[in-house]
Amino acid sequence: MKPRMNIYLTTAKRVVKYAYPVIRSLFEQNADSEVYLYLVSENLEEDDVRIERELAESFGGHIVILRFDEDMARGRIVSASDHWPLGTLGCYWLFHELLPDDVDRILALESDAVVTGSLREFYNTDLTGFYAACPDPEHKPMGHRDLMERLGGDVLTFVVSLYDVKAIRRDFTLDQILSIDQYVVKEFGHSQQELTFGILFQDKIKFLPAADLCVEENSQSMEAMGYDYLKECEKTCKVLHFSSTQYKEKPWNPVYIMPGYAKWWQYAKESPYYKEYFEEQWKTYRNSIAQTESLKKNITYRNLLLMTLSVYVMLMAVAGVWLMTLPSDGMSVNPLVWIAVTLAALAVAAGAAFAVRWVSMLAVRH
């Protein structure tokens, strides 16, 4: 009989197609385990994962949908933006209300990743005296490390993190977890599971070498660690995580091309959504082009002239009011002063307009 492995993943109807590569790679790379994949979702239906379930069963695995009630969570946690549904923070409810009682430990993955090796050794990590295990912080940006130091917690990496469900249920209540989240919201602006669990489990997180477990593949990592380091990590780590920066780069929406994208597309090619990946990418590209063209129209020289004239009139109105007060104070206004003010206002207006256009053109090029 294969040993059991419990895996957590959050997804939703709108984005489940992008989770196919991580799901397929998980079952392929862990065929030596009986994998129970728990999908936490606010709106996923059984028919939405019919293909994924057939895949799981072909490897002797299972997919279980855990229903997350967004109405229950609304007002108790704060999403970063409308782009992120509250279901992405279903892990707060994982230990106390969502998981079956027979689950004693669980390993968390994220949808924007691909599994490149067996997770069995990590899953078997001895958690005696610890609530969680995860990669050490060596791949985390310094800004994130500094933030955790200020918040008073350890740097927890959520993707490829392992939890002692029984110990957490025993020692913490859901309300305690949510109270830490409220502190995070107050200090950080919105809920974030890495921050909450990093504070909650401080000094009780077991750290393992990040290079053996997971590497973040994004522009930030490339700039900090370089291509050669990322390629070396790909040889040893078990998961490639395509976390994004503010530019939302992903394998299916490559603002930047990362070496690990090839591995994601290897599994994507086996996906029933393969055609959709391209169609969505083309749609995103067309929208980007439309936005660029719209911006270009707004920085034409006709608009530049109009902007210069508008700023000039505004400056002259202000200068006129000021100069008109001088005679009432018994001071005469030399005509040369009017000429100087006029030229200065024109120069400032033109400079401001050209500066706006220069900044806009930079935005268009980037």
Side-chain angles (χ1 to χ4, degrees):
M1 180 181 291
K2 296 179 181 179
R4 178 167 174 166
M5 181 186 294
N6 302 311
I7 304 293
Y8 160 83
L9 190 70
T10 180
T11 187
K13 189 183 291 285
R14 180 175 59 88
V15 294
V16 67
K17 59 178 173 283
Y18 297 114
Y20 185 89
V22 72
I23 293 173
R24 185 177 188 93
S25 62
L26 167 68
F27 285 105
E28 283 193 6
Q29 295 291 339
N30 293 277
D32 59 345
S33 301
E34 184 178 5
V35 176
Y36 281 77
L37 176 59
Y38 293 96
L39 296 179
V40 175
S41 177
E42 70 277 9
N43 61 3
L44 212 56
E45 302 295 337
E46 293 295 333
D47 196 53
D48 295 325
V49 292
R50 176 179 50 81
I51 296 171
E52 289 80 0
R53 180 168 280 110
E54 291 173 358
L55 170 68
E57 290 172 353
S58 71
F59 286 94
H62 316 269
I63 290 181
V64 181
I65 297 176
L66 301 179
R67 306 289 179 185
F68 180 74
D69 186 350
E70 280 200 316
D71 291 334
M72 166 269 300
R74 193 168 285 109
R76 305 193 73 183
I77 55 177
V78 179
S79 179
S81 69
D82 293 337
H83 178 74
W84 300 108
L86 294 179
T88 58
L89 294 158
C91 55
Y92 286 168
W93 279 262
L94 196 63
F95 311 109
H96 297 87
E97 295 190 4
L98 293 178
L99 283 174
D101 292 338
D102 64 339
V103 175
D104 59 349
R105 64 172 53 198
I106 195 162
L107 192 159
L109 294 176
E110 293 188 14
S111 296
D112 55 348
V114 68
V115 180
T116 57
S118 173
L119 296 169
R120 170 50 58 186
E121 184 178 356
F122 176 61
Y123 186 82
N124 288 340
T125 297
D126 182 7
L127 290 178
T128 303
F130 298 95
Y131 294 116
C134 71
D136 61 37
E138 66 175 317
H139 292 165
K140 283 292 188 182
M142 283 305 302
H144 185 88
R145 300 187 214 179
D146 293 340
L147 173 63
M148 285 311 303
E149 183 176 354
R150 180 173 67 82
L151 293 178
D154 290 335
V155 180
L156 181 137
T157 299
F158 186 71
V159 64
V160 200
S161 55
L162 181 69
Y163 299 91
D164 186 335
V165 177
K166 290 177 65 175
I168 293 170
R169 284 173 175 164
R170 181 192 67 221
D171 295 344
F172 301 99
T173 65
L174 175 60
D175 285 340
Q176 285 177 301
I177 294 174
L178 295 177
S179 69
I180 297 295
D181 173 71
Q182 290 171 13
Y183 166 69
V184 168
V185 171
K186 180 180 177 182
E187 296 293 323
F188 186 62
H190 60 79
S191 302
Q192 218 272 14
Q193 65 264 37
E194 287 191 337
L195 307 185
T196 296
F197 290 153
I199 296 169
L200 191 70
F201 305 143
Q202 185 182 22
D203 298 326
K204 296 290 184 178
I205 300 175
K206 191 169 193 174
F207 292 105
L208 300 170
D212 294 338
L213 287 177
C214 178
V215 65
E216 309 278 342
E217 294 225 8
N218 56 30
S219 58
Q220 198 172 49
S221 297
M222 181 67 80
E223 291 169 4
M225 297 180 285
Y227 173 86
D228 292 334
Y229 182 83
L230 290 183
K231 290 300 292 182
E232 283 301 309
C233 282
E234 287 178 10
K235 298 176 182 177
T236 56
C237 68
K238 307 303 185 292
V239 173
L240 306 182
H241 182 212
F242 306 108
S243 54
S244 59
T245 64
Q246 60 180 321
Y247 301 108
K248 300 293 187 289
E249 65 267 34
K250 296 291 183 186
W252 57 89
N253 181 31
V255 180
Y256 302 100
I257 300 296
M258 301 301 297
Y261 284 6
K263 182 66 70 172
W264 189 91
W265 280 101
Q266 173 186 323
Y267 286 101
K269 194 172 183 179
E270 305 299 322
S271 167
Y273 315 106
Y274 190 56
K275 178 182 176 182
E276 291 184 51
Y277 297 148
F278 289 99
E279 291 175 339
E280 289 296 319
Q281 190 181 88
W282 296 333
K283 188 187 302 180
T284 300
Y285 180 72
R286 285 196 299 270
N287 290 339
S288 176
I289 291 297
Q291 292 174 3
T292 300
E293 291 302 317
S294 176
L295 184 56
K296 284 181 178 178
K297 289 178 182 178
N298 290 325
I299 54 177
T300 59
Y301 283 101
R302 185 195 303 178
N303 286 342
L304 189 66
L305 183 60
L306 180 60
M307 187 187 306
T308 301
L309 182 60
S310 299
V311 175
Y312 171 72
V313 170
M314 181 184 68
L315 291 175
M316 285 303 297
V318 172
V321 170
W322 172 65
L323 290 172
M324 291 298 289
T325 62
L326 295 181
S328 63
D329 294 334
M331 299 174 62
S332 60
V333 180
N334 191 311
L336 292 177
V337 173
W338 278 103
I339 295 173
V341 168
T342 300
L343 292 175
L346 186 59
V348 171
F354 274 95
V356 169
R357 186 177 190 277
W358 179 74
V359 171
S360 300
M361 289 301 291
L362 281 180
V364 169
R365 293 192 189 102
H366 288 81

